[in-house]
Amino acid sequence: MLEKIGSLSMDEIAEKIKACQKCPLFSTRHNAVPGEGSYKSPVIFVGEAPGEVEDLHGKPFIGKAGQLFSKILQSVKIKREDVFITNMLKCRPPGNRNPSKSEIGLCLPYLESQIALINPKIIVTLGNIPTKYLLNSQEGITKVRGQWFDWTGGIKIFPMFHPSYLLRHEETTPGSPKELTWKDIKELKRALSQLRNDFGK
Ligand code: SF4
């Protein structure tokens, strides 16, 4: 069962995140990055943590990897403003190091509250950290990407490669991360179209 932080609205959660000092990352951030997009979205995209550009501007997925992410969405006519985009961790770990378990644990109630309020049908986990954490599994992203998993409250989880991984693997040959991502985003688009037909969501 997902826990909401009291009866806060999405905007109030964002304000709480911006003022948060629960873990040491508050002392090295320029800006917390709560996430952005539609609060009525049928899908939430969850990355790992803000990078350098995101930290400077307080917005998710706007650096090089974020620009590639936007192109991936555009390729199947998904508009960024129609979906909700966020990260597991709302503040940048210095030097983009992996977040610690305790940092993730302290930050998780914010993500859970955002999920509970938006109540999406689908969560797309981007990369290893959100995938392993939300699925409570040690399987790497290469093994689980492009598959559907049942999660809390009837929500489905659909893991995909993180766009920063795609930047490090430019090839588009069959079986390459980019080619597999093209398959995955088309599958996501199919599922979203199905949802719109079935539920109008
Ligand atoms: S990472 Fe999360 S828990 Fe840590 S200071 Fe930022 S918002 Fe608070």
Side-chain angles (χ1 to χ4, degrees), residues 17 20-23 25-26 29 89-91 106-107 110:
I17 290 169
C20 180
Q21 300 190 355
K22 279 201 292 177
C23 88
L25 296 181
F26 91 89
R29 74 183 175 212
L89 224 65
K90 310 304 188 190
C91 302
L106 287 166
C107 208
Y110 296 125

Side-chain angles (χ1 to χ4, degrees), residues 141-158:
I141 186 69
T142 309
K143 218 161 187 184
V144 297
R145 55 131 286 277
Q147 298 174 54
W148 293 100
F149 296 89
D150 291 325
W151 198 63
T152 310
I155 299 171
K156 300 273 186 195
I157 289 195
F158 187 68

